[in-house]
C-alpha cells in the first residue's frame, strides 16, 4: 500500500524520464530476485525443521545439525525479509502523521524517511562487515562450516536495503528535494 502511494505520488511529481523507468525496472527485478530467494529460504527452513522434528521423535538418532542449519537459514530469512519489506515500504516507520498528509507532503516525507533509513544503514554496514569477518575464524559445531555463512546475512541484508533506498531516492524526486530532505 505505501509503495503504491509512493509510486503514485512520485509519478505525479516527475515526468516519465529514462532514469525513472530504469530505476523502477532495476528495483522490480532485484526485488523479484530477493523475494524469490526469501521464498526458497522459507521452504528450506520448513523442510529442515520438519526433518529435525521427525528424526528427533521417530528415530533413535536425531539430526544434530538441523537446529544449527535452521538458525542460519532463519537469520538469512530475516535479513532478506527486511529488505523485501523495506522495498515495499512496509518496514517499520512512523506513519501516524504521514497518513494525514497530502500527496505532495507525503512524497516529501517519504524521501525524508528513506534518507534517514539510508543514513542508519550506512552507519551500521561497516560494523556488520567487521562482525562477519571476525566470525570467519569460528567453525560451527555440528555442520563444521565457517560461521561467516551465518554472519554474512547482516552485511548482505544491509546492502540490499541501502540499494533499495538509493533506487527509491533516484526515482522519487529531484535533487533539490533530496538535499532538503537530507
Amino acid at each position: 500500500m505505501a509503495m503504491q502511494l509512493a509510486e503514485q505520488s512520485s509519478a505525479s511529481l516527475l515526468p516519465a524520464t529514462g532514469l525513472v523507468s530504469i530505476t523502477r525496472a532495476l528495483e522490480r527485478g532485484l526485488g523479484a530476485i530477493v523475494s524469490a530467494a526469501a521464498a526458497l529460504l522459507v521452504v528450506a527452513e520448513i523442510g529442515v525443521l520438519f526433518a529435525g522434528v521427525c528424526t528427533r521423535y521417530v528415530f533413535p538418532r536425531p539430526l544434530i545439525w538441523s537446529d544449527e542449519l535452521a538458525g542460519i537459514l532463519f537469520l538469512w530469512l530475516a535479513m532478506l525479509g527486511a529488505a523485501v519489506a523495506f522495498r515495499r515500504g512496509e518496514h517499520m516507520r512512523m506513519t501516524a502523521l504521514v497518513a494525514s498528509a497530502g500527496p505532495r507532503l507525503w512524497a516529501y516525507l517519504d524521501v525524508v524517511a528513506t534518507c534517514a533509513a539510508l543514513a542508519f544503514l550506512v552507519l551500521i554496514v561497516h560494523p556488520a562487515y567487521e562482525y562477519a569477518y571476525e566470525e570467519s575464524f569460528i567453525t560451527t559445531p555440528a555442520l563444521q562450516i565457517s560461521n561467516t555463512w551465518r554472519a554474512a546475512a547482516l552485511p548482505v541484508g544491509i546492502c540490499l536495503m541501502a540499494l533499495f533506498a538509493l533506487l527509491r531516492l533516484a526515482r522519487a524526486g529531484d535533487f533539490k528535494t533530496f538535499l532538503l530532505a537530507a
Side-chain angles (χ1 to χ4, degrees):
M1 174 83 169
M3 188 65 161
Q4 293 170 345
L5 288 173
E7 286 182 8
Q8 290 172 356
S9 62
S10 65
S12 63
L13 296 175
L14 291 175
T17 63
L19 179 64
V20 172
S21 60
I22 289 170
T23 56
R24 187 172 289 143
L26 185 60
E27 184 181 13
R28 284 184 184 153
L30 185 60
I33 292 169
V34 173
S35 295
L40 287 173
L41 282 176
V42 168
V43 171
E45 182 84 19
I46 290 169
V48 167
L49 289 172
F50 182 72
V53 168
C54 286
T55 58
R56 184 177 301 131
Y57 293 108
V58 175
F59 301 111
R61 300 183 80 191
L63 298 174
I64 59 171
W65 51 264
S66 64
D67 289 338
E68 195 171 284
L69 181 59
I72 293 169
L73 293 176
F74 184 75
L75 183 56
W76 275 95
L77 181 59
M79 293 308 295
L80 292 181
V84 169
F86 186 86
R87 177 192 170 267
R88 293 178 180 175
E90 297 170 350
H91 207 271
M92 278 190 338
R93 62 181 182 183
M94 301 294 279
T95 57
L97 297 174
V98 177
S100 62
R104 194 170 200 85
L105 181 60
W106 193 93
Y108 172 72
L109 292 175
D110 185 52
V111 172
V112 169
T114 303
C115 286
L118 182 60
F120 175 73
L121 292 167
V122 167
L123 285 174
I124 65 170
V125 72
H126 184 67
Y129 171 77
E130 285 181 351
Y131 172 69
Y133 175 73
E134 290 171 2
E135 290 293 304
S136 68
F137 302 110
I138 299 172
T139 303
T140 60
L143 292 172
Q144 293 297 309
I145 60 173
S146 173
N147 215 23
T148 301
W149 286 102
R150 180 183 61 83
L154 296 171
V156 169
I158 291 167
C159 288
L160 283 171
M161 286 186 273
L163 182 58
F164 284 133
L166 289 171
L167 289 171
R168 183 183 296 170
L169 289 173
R171 189 189 73 217
D174 57 42
F175 192 67
K176 181 183 170 187
T177 305
F178 169 73
L179 286 178
L180 187 61

